[in-house]
Amino acid sequence: MRCGWLRKPTRRSSAEPRTHLKTPQPAPATAITLALIASLLWASSFIYIEIGLADLEPISFAALRYLIGAVCLLGYWVLTGASRIRTVTGSNTLLVVMLGVVLYAAVPALQFIGLDQTEAVTFNFVFQAGIPLVLALSAGVILREPTAGREWIGVGLVMGGAWAFFPVAPTGADARGVILAVLAAIFIGGSNLMQRRILRGGGASALEVTALSMTIGAIMLAGIALVIEDAPRLTPRLIVLLLVLGVINTAIAFFIWHHAIQTLRALHIGVIASTQLIFVPIMARWLLDESFGLEQTLGSVLVLLGIAVVNYTRDQASARATPVATPDDVTRRA
């Protein structure tokens, strides 16, 4: 007769995928840093896109960028063995599909077409300034994360900084680009809410969510490009540009963004994304020799103040109080 404590534990077959593995969340300071790095990378994308649109049609350009990013993430997901651990299950599956359609198909299409219609700074202004407002209006209803009074002050500072940064409203031929930027802001706000809902609590892997949803969106963009645009002619310069956009500004940036959003609230990470209002004009002056005057300086200060107010509200501590799984917790869930 064998004692119970001497019995060998039942081993799970290596071929059997495990589900619902709790993934560790980054600390708040780490999450803010990761979100800022992603925002900086995306700001540089506006410059690269403006350069590439001189030789590529917008949908084909977007499709190539996200196909490269998706291949990188899928390769990393498979090679590291992470694909054997399934974390996207049940209702999250539909949300991941929707995320791919919205974030990696609709938003890139609107961005690339819009940037083909108007200047990068104008599009970026409308796009970034609208995101915090969309999140503030919708996060409380969808995610039950009501926007506190101090957070509204921060949003107001961001919006005021945006208007100070770009005091002249676009008119005439720029109107179509502005409309596309408004639509992109609405879609990106919705995608942030979907990402937050999928990743909140650490139940889903940021890598799996990013890889799968980006693949879905990239395939959709490629299909549309094949139907409505001519085949792109790639030069060595365009190939380098696409690799930078696809690997660094897409695969790496979206992966760390999804990792950060596990800890940060939807409104907070949306306001951090608005720092592109600062990064884009600075890069435009450095790379494209564009001006950066008093209004831009004032707008930068207001945006930074708004970010500080939103990220240090008194209710932030309780919003981030979701416990991180311990090794014992992971073992019990495996």
Side-chain angles (χ1 to χ4, degrees):
M1 182 174 179
R2 302 176 71 181
C3 297
W5 59 273
L6 289 176
R7 292 174 185 166
K8 288 186 177 181
T10 303
R11 286 192 173 184
R12 181 185 300 271
S13 170
S14 59
E16 180 182 352
R18 290 181 291 173
T19 59
H20 303 292
L21 182 67
K22 197 78 169 178
T23 56
Q25 298 176 338
T30 302
I32 292 172
T33 301
L34 291 174
L36 284 171
I37 292 173
S39 183
L40 178 61
L41 291 174
W42 287 331
S44 68
S45 296
F46 281 89
I47 308 300
Y48 299 146
I49 292 170
E50 281 286 322
I51 295 171
L53 283 171
D55 301 302
L56 289 172
E57 295 190 74
I59 302 298
S60 297
F61 195 180
L64 288 169
R65 172 189 177 179
Y66 285 95
L67 281 172
I68 293 171
V71 168
C72 291
L73 287 176
L74 284 174
Y76 181 76
W77 185 47
V78 173
L79 291 175
T80 57
S83 59
R84 293 196 299 267
I85 303 173
R86 307 289 175 76
T87 63
V88 176
T89 58
S91 60
N92 273 355
T93 303
L94 178 60
L95 282 174
V96 169
V97 173
M98 292 173 59
L99 183 64
V101 173
V102 173
L103 183 58
Y104 299 111
V107 171
L110 291 168
Q111 283 181 324
F112 279 70
I113 296 173
L115 287 168
D116 201 33
Q117 301 289 325
T118 188
E119 295 181 354
V121 289
T122 301
F123 186 94
N124 183 56
F125 155 59
V126 178
F127 178 63
Q128 299 298 339
I131 294 173
L133 185 58
V134 171
L135 291 171
L137 292 173
S138 56
V141 177
I142 298 176
L143 294 180
R144 297 181 181 178
E145 293 180 355
T147 304
R150 290 179 63 187
E151 290 176 299
W152 278 114
I153 294 174
V155 171
L157 287 170
V158 170
M159 301 297 291
W163 284 108
F165 209 96
F166 302 108
V168 179
T171 58
D174 289 335
R176 185 163 47 188
V178 169
I179 292 173
L180 292 172
V182 171
L183 291 174
I186 294 173
F187 278 117
I188 203 74
S191 72
N192 279 344
L193 295 175
M194 282 189 279
Q195 291 174 81
R196 185 70 179 98
R197 188 162 183 173
I198 294 169
L199 296 170
R200 183 167 52 184
S205 162
L207 175 59
E208 183 178 358
V209 171
T210 310
L212 295 180
S213 57
M214 187 179 296
T215 301
I216 292 169
I219 292 173
M220 288 189 64
L221 283 172
I224 295 171
L226 287 173
V227 173
I228 66 174
E229 294 180 348
D230 296 329
R233 296 180 179 179
L234 300 179
T235 63
R237 173 174 167 271
L238 286 176
I239 292 173
V240 172
L241 186 64
L242 284 168
L243 288 174
V244 171
L245 280 169
V247 178
I248 300 175
N249 291 36
T250 302
I252 295 176
F254 274 105
F255 173 65
I256 64 175
W257 176 265
H258 280 193
H259 195 54
I261 209 170
Q262 293 181 77
T263 297
L264 299 177
R265 294 178 59 199
L267 178 62
H268 295 158
I269 204 162
V271 174
I272 289 175
S274 295
T275 56
Q276 293 175 64
L277 285 166
I278 302 169
F279 296 145
V280 169
I282 291 175
M283 292 179 181
R285 181 177 182 179
W286 177 39
L287 297 173
L288 305 177
D289 199 25
E290 294 185 1
S291 61
F292 190 85
L294 180 61
E295 294 87 355
Q296 286 75 23
T297 303
L298 176 61
S300 300
V301 172
L302 290 175
V303 168
L304 287 173
L305 286 174
I307 292 170
V309 170
V310 169
N311 282 284
Y312 292 98
T313 49
R314 281 177 288 185
D315 69 328
Q316 188 179 32
S318 60
R320 291 175 172 172
T322 304
V324 177
T326 64
D328 288 340
D329 292 330
V330 174
T331 302
R332 284 194 292 268
R333 288 181 176 88

